[in-house]
Amino acid sequence: MSAGDWSVEGKAALVTGASRGIGRAIAVRLAEMGARVACVATRADNCSDTVSACLEHTEGAAAYGVDVSSTDAVAELVKEVQSEFGAIDILVNNAGITQDQLLLRMTEDDFDRVVDVNLKGSWNFLKAAARPLMKSGGRVINISSVVGVTGNAGQANYAASKAGVIGLTRSVAKELAGRGVCVNAVAPGFIETDMTSEISGAAAEQLQASIPLGRVGSASEIADAVAWLAGPGGAYVTGQTIIVDGGLSLGG
């Protein structure tokens, strides 16, 4: 499918982790482009604000709740979305958690839960949505992280899960390319979210000093990268990871 044959207008998009932050920005951005958006969070009512924001731009938006780490529950949810929206053309795997701790203090539960949500959750949605995506020749954008590329002390579980997302992206891109499905990843750096807003004072100054562009990124800038991959511009891009980090991964 060439770039001219694809438009986000009228497409059905499923976005996980859509209740706030990056996920909310992505859902609203796709709605602005004319997509109908299935907004997924742990609980459907967590997405009510996102759905309202989407409905300002599109006629189709709805909230769904699921534990993304549950293979069976995700499969049922995907069937429900496909039935109600008529298709799944765009899948954005954004749901993720952190449970940071140094290796010697990290528990097995700390490791397993982060991998189950961040990596297995992405796999669950990819597996469940593969057939409708192949039918539409759709797009998949998995949200990784710059620490999946660089690593980060105190985040062995998170970095491993996000590095896994990159490997998952490249592998599934090879599997689905023959059906016209483009599968890519976006790896954000430090983005202004609820989590990073808690960083202040000297820690905030040190953080900004580590970023060559000298500032923390915004959720809308990640949404812009996702929008490009989901739109006509992404028609000949697959298996790639776009790092949106202000140059952080360049090192010192």
Side-chain angles (χ1 to χ4, degrees):
M1 180 178 290
S2 68
D5 297 329
W6 178 270
S7 171
V8 176
E9 181 80 30
K11 294 292 192 296
L14 189 161
V15 181
T16 71
S19 62
R20 59 182 182 171
I22 291 172
R24 185 182 191 279
I26 290 168
V28 174
R29 183 73 176 87
L30 293 174
E32 289 172 349
M33 297 169 72
R36 297 169 294 130
V37 188
C39 303
V40 179
T42 305
R43 292 174 38 173
D45 57 5
N46 291 346
C47 275
S48 58
D49 288 346
T50 303
V51 169
S52 295
C54 289
L55 289 173
E56 294 180 10
H57 308 284
T58 182
E59 294 182 357
Y64 300 86
V66 74
D67 176 358
V68 301
S69 70
S70 171
T71 303
D72 291 342
V74 167
E76 288 303 312
L77 181 139
V78 168
K79 288 179 183 177
E80 182 181 354
V81 172
Q82 186 181 10
S83 175
E84 294 181 1
F85 281 68
I88 297 176
D89 304 296
I90 300 166
L91 170 64
V92 181
N93 281 311
N94 169 72
I97 61 170
T98 58
Q99 290 184 196
D100 297 348
Q101 189 58 268
L102 293 172
L103 177 65
L104 294 179
R105 297 176 181 173
M106 185 176 292
T107 67
E108 183 177 2
D109 286 343
D110 289 336
F111 186 88
D112 288 348
R113 183 58 182 160
V114 170
V115 172
D116 281 348
V117 171
N118 299 0
L119 179 55
K120 186 184 176 187
S122 297
W123 179 84
N124 282 339
F125 273 93
L126 278 164
K127 183 172 175 63
R131 284 185 172 84
L133 284 164
M134 288 190 290
K135 185 176 180 180
S136 64
R139 305 285 173 84
V140 177
I141 300 98
N142 299 317
I143 305 302
S144 180
S145 169
V146 67
V147 303
V149 178
T150 65
N152 195 38
Q155 290 191 305
N157 50 1
Y158 185 74
S161 71
K162 292 301 189 176
V165 167
I166 292 173
L168 178 67
T169 297
R170 294 175 67 86
S171 297
V172 176
K174 290 185 175 183
E175 292 186 25
L176 300 186
R179 301 299 293 271
V181 181
C182 295
V183 184
N184 293 287
V186 172
F190 287 110
I191 303 300
E192 189 173 350
T193 63
D194 291 345
M195 181 174 63
T196 58
S197 67
E198 297 175 3
I199 303 173
S200 60
E205 292 177 6
Q206 184 177 6
L207 170 60
Q208 292 201 63
S210 69
I211 302 170
L213 285 183
R215 65 176 178 85
V216 173
S218 69
S220 65
E221 289 171 311
I222 305 304
D224 287 342
V226 171
W228 183 79
L229 288 170
Y236 199 56
V237 181
T238 197
Q240 304 305 306
T241 299
I242 296 180
I243 299 175
V244 186
D245 70 348
L248 179 64
S249 57
L250 296 174

